[in-house]
Amino acid sequence: MPLPSHVSAARQPTRAFDTDFTPEPHDPYSLKHSEYGFCDNEQHRTTSKHMEGTSLRASDEEPSIWIYLGTYISYALLICIGHLRDFFGKLMFPGDYTHLKPNEGYAPLFSDFDSFYTRRLKTRIDDLFARPITSVAARTATLLDRTSANFNASFTFTGETTQALNVSSYNYLGFAQSRGACADQAESTVLKFGISSAGARGDVGGNDLHVQAERLMAAFLGAEDCMIVATGFATNSTNLPALVSKGCLVISDELNHSSIRFGARLSGAMVRQYKHNDMDDLEGLLRECVSQGQPRTHRPWKKILIVVEGLYSMEGTLVDLPRILELKDIYKFYLYIDEAHSIGALGPRGRGVCDYFNVDPRRVDILMGTFTKSFGAAGGYIAGSHSLIASLRLASHSDNYAEAMPPPIVSQIITSTGSIMGPSSFQYCPSLASLPAHLMDGRQGTDRLRRLAFNCRYLNGGLKKLGFIVFGHRDSPIVPMLVYAPGKFGPFSRLMLERHKIIVVVVAYPATPLVSGRVRFCVSAAHTKDDLDQLLRAVDDVGGILGLKLAPHGNRMDIEEVIATGVEMVRESEIEL
């Protein structure tokens, strides 16, 4: 799928998504606003914190049984049609199936059965995925337009672009920007350190930036020590095997990320699962495992490690941390929290679920997170006691065998984290004191946190008022809206882009249960209330066309009423409990 040279040569400068926005004289194409929306209305701010009595369930709404039945029937029809197409295709076009059959003594590289879902169900909507962009994935994104003449088997670029509102990227605090102090600092880091670390931390791949970043993150998290890793997936998959082994027990939430599952399997430890966020089920499992011990021998477990996520990326639900800590005091297990989506996005100070629930972070044994979602960077971290981190530096494959995090990425982490912490960050990274005062006095970081908190509550509440079934917690920057029927995924995403110039992500099996496919809106501090007003109007329009207002309970409101009362709705959420 090559990109013709004339595409980039003929491309027009990026303009702001808002046609009525007057650009600043020194920013004629309004790039700043297109990446981080201008909003000076203090009413569009709130604080992310736990309110006693707030439900941590995914949703209190369920559609009628007919919706589930229709969804199963839809998948059954798609599967039957797919098998018919395969049957006639193998008869009429055998050359298209050679990679699924033995050929010249070689076994097929892919299984016919295993690839059926991809070929006959996913390919139908492949135009919704992997959309290439030619801009920062910020408040807006500029798509490279493409078409397909062979039913999404391949795509051809048209040479044109479309700028659209972006509610599909992980950019919670809006640090994904191509200009500003963070970007300038990363650029100067390239000039000093280059692009690559050119080695593992255990060799000569580390530099003073890595040391400063680890000290800064340890202070930010309230931990004794911290270790940064070049990729988020490897942070889980290579460090879990260094923590547990044969004879140990890992208890995992059933909806934990695949990197956690992969790392747990690699470790050789026994793995048990409990129902998502169900503390009663977890306690029952703990009682069984503690009383029975290891299989066959019934010897005590060497150690028990419970692994949870702070914020679950497909459900938008928060971990019931207070209850888990109560169980921890009783059953004496180790607690590992993956804060990939919650660090930076939750809590009055943006320091994750411990900050959100006002819990001492040192009560959690292992704090893990990534820099991708809230910091505009890449990679991940593991934080905990000095002894824990010292052991991981020796035993973790990611620290000993993988290349260290590239210097410009480390620079982005330091600058973005410093802007959230404010002047207290200077003692860990003295160079931050030379950055612009408006960035490093903590006001900008706090403002980003408060904008994100408002946007989360407004979008979540607005969709519910319109009659859609929405999963997740009201303070979650991930807002899943249930679609159910597989035949509606494609029309929803395409209509949102074609009619309203909004990029959305649809998620279906195997990332979700078969009958609960959804649209997943990713909220950012870069979005303004006007952006979310436009999003709500678009979802109301397209959702009405496709019949997605499936919530059986509650008083529905008109779209204009939802928008007019949005600020009041958020204010009520601050005191309702």
Side-chain angles (χ1 to χ4, degrees):
M1 193 166 57
L3 182 64
S5 59
H6 73 272
V7 172
S8 56
R11 188 179 307 134
Q12 297 298 311
T14 300
R15 292 186 177 274
F17 178 71
D18 314 75
T19 57
D20 60 345
F21 183 78
T22 303
E24 302 174 30
H26 61 278
D27 188 17
Y29 298 113
S30 200
L31 287 174
K32 288 175 65 178
H33 182 62
S34 69
E35 293 178 357
Y36 191 84
F38 175 77
C39 175
D40 60 356
N41 190 336
E42 281 297 317
Q43 290 295 312
H44 301 165
R45 309 288 194 277
T46 192
T47 302
S48 169
K49 63 180 180 180
H50 178 59
M51 306 285 286
E52 290 295 333
T54 305
S55 173
L56 296 177
R57 294 179 57 188
S59 176
D60 294 320
E61 297 281 2
E62 287 285 345
S64 70
I65 189 65
W66 302 109
I67 299 298
Y68 286 121
L69 182 60
T71 303
Y72 280 119
I73 292 174
S74 297
Y75 274 108
L77 287 173
L78 286 172
I79 291 170
C80 289
I81 293 171
H83 281 299
L84 284 173
R85 292 183 64 186
D86 274 356
F87 177 77
F88 288 107
K90 290 173 182 178
L91 291 177
M92 302 173 66
F93 308 103
D96 294 342
Y97 295 85
T98 53
H99 64 293
L100 301 176
K101 299 177 181 179
N103 186 27
E104 297 181 357
Y106 288 94
L109 192 58
F110 300 101
S111 163
D112 190 342
F113 179 79
D114 291 343
S115 66
F116 175 82
Y117 182 86
T118 303
R119 289 183 290 110
R120 292 307 179 201
L121 278 78
K122 180 180 177 292
T123 303
R124 289 171 170 266
I125 53 174
D126 257 355
D127 58 311
L128 314 184
F129 307 114
R131 287 168 168 160
I133 65 173
T134 176
S135 68
V136 178
R139 169 180 171 260
T140 66
T142 304
L143 295 171
L144 286 171
D145 295 343
R146 58 184 183 173
T147 60
S148 177
N150 51 10
F151 305 103
N152 295 339
S154 63
F155 295 92
T156 302
F157 289 107
T158 66
E160 298 179 351
T161 61
T162 298
Q163 188 175 27
L165 184 67
N166 180 18
V167 288
S168 62
S169 299
Y170 300 134
N171 181 31
Y172 299 149
L173 292 182
F175 281 114
Q177 295 175 267
S178 62
R179 54 177 56 197
C182 289
D184 293 343
Q185 191 72 1
E187 182 180 0
S188 64
T189 300
V190 172
L191 298 178
K192 180 179 179 180
F193 292 97
I195 297 293
S196 171
S197 297
R201 289 291 300 277
D203 298 328
V204 292
N207 56 46
D208 57 336
L209 286 180
H210 293 94
V211 176
Q212 290 180 31
E214 290 176 339
R215 292 175 59 205
L216 184 66
M217 283 307 299
F220 180 70
L221 296 166
E224 292 181 2
D225 205 351
C226 178
M227 178 179 78
I228 60 175
V229 181
T231 64
F233 191 96
T235 308
N236 278 328
S237 62
T238 64
N239 284 295
L240 280 170
L243 289 168
V244 290
S245 59
K246 186 177 180 181
C248 300
L249 173 66
V250 174
I251 298 180
S252 172
D253 188 290
E254 64 178 350
L255 296 185
N256 274 345
H257 192 263
S258 63
S259 60
I260 295 174
R261 300 183 183 199
F262 186 64
R265 286 198 299 267
L266 283 179
S267 71
M270 172 71 73
V271 181
R272 298 288 300 272
Q273 291 186 346
Y274 66 94
K275 295 178 182 177
H276 175 55
N277 232 10
D278 188 331
M279 296 300 103
D280 292 333
D281 188 53
L282 173 58
E283 184 170 17
L285 183 58
L286 279 167
R287 286 178 177 175
E288 175 193 336
C289 293
V290 170
S291 64
Q292 297 300 313
Q294 298 184 42
R296 293 191 298 276
T297 65
H298 298 290
R299 292 177 179 173
W301 298 100
K302 292 180 180 177
K303 70 182 83 164
I304 298 177
L305 178 68
I306 289 187
V307 187
V308 296
E309 293 187 37
L311 171 62
Y312 292 85
S313 60
M314 288 299 165
E315 307 299 309
T317 47
L318 303 185
V319 63
D320 192 347
L321 183 58
R323 182 75 177 107
I324 285 185
L325 290 175
E326 289 178 10
L327 295 175
K328 185 177 188 295
D329 292 338
I330 297 171
Y331 295 97
K332 310 302 180 184
F333 54 79
Y334 292 101
L335 179 59
Y336 182 115
I337 299 184
D338 178 342
E339 293 216 71
H341 291 270
S342 53
I343 190 66
L346 291 175
R349 301 176 301 160
R351 306 189 185 193
V353 289
C354 293
D355 187 25
Y356 183 83
F357 288 105
N358 194 27
V359 167
D360 183 355
R362 300 201 180 198
R363 294 182 64 188
V364 179
D365 302 290
I366 304 107
L367 289 164
M368 175 271 171
T370 65
F371 301 113
T372 316
K373 285 79 179 178
S374 293
F375 301 90
Y381 65 82
I382 291 280
S385 65
H386 287 303
S387 58
L388 169 73
I389 300 304
S391 298
L392 286 178
R393 291 190 193 282
L394 296 174
S396 171
H397 287 184
S398 58
D399 205 57
N400 289 290
Y401 301 109
E403 184 176 335
M405 187 179 288
I409 300 297
V410 183
S411 174
Q412 172 71 19
I413 293 167
I414 292 174
T415 312
S416 57
T417 306
S419 73
I420 300 172
M421 291 182 67
S424 63
S425 63
F426 298 168
Q427 60 179 305
Y428 308 103
C429 299
S431 61
L432 291 174
S434 63
L435 296 179
H438 72 274
L439 177 71
M440 300 313 302
D441 62 8
R443 287 179 298 170
Q444 187 185 106
T446 301
D447 187 64
R448 288 176 185 258
L449 293 169
R450 299 185 69 231
R451 280 183 61 166
L452 175 63
F454 175 89
N455 290 345
C456 294
R457 292 192 183 185
Y458 176 49
L459 181 60
N460 186 295
L463 290 171
K464 289 179 178 178
K465 294 291 186 183
L466 290 173
F468 296 100
I469 295 181
V470 177
F471 275 9
H473 194 275
R474 65 183 184 181
D475 285 323
S476 166
I478 298 167
V479 185
M481 188 189 84
L482 277 291
V483 176
Y484 297 104
K488 296 181 180 180
F489 299 154
F492 185 89
S493 180
R494 295 180 192 115
L495 287 173
M496 288 291 286
L497 181 60
E498 294 166 7
R499 289 170 67 108
H500 300 282
K501 297 294 185 289
I502 298 176
I503 310 167
V504 300
V505 167
V506 295
V507 188
Y509 179 84
T512 69
L514 186 68
V515 294
S516 59
R518 63 201 64 176
V519 179
R520 190 175 60 169
F521 301 110
C522 296
V523 183
S524 171
H527 295 132
T528 65
K529 182 179 181 295
D530 290 340
D531 294 335
L532 300 184
D533 291 345
Q534 184 169 348
L535 175 61
L536 286 170
R537 287 192 176 98
V539 175
D540 183 65
D541 173 39
V542 176
I545 293 172
L546 298 176
L548 299 180
K549 297 183 178 182
L550 303 171
H553 307 297
N555 296 322
R556 296 185 183 181
M557 297 171 62
D558 175 78
I559 178 61
E560 297 306 323
E561 186 180 0
V562 169
I563 292 172
T565 60
V567 173
E568 179 183 349
M569 177 176 60
V570 174
R571 295 284 87 84
E572 289 176 353
S573 72
E574 299 171 349
I575 58 175
E576 65 181 10
L577 298 176

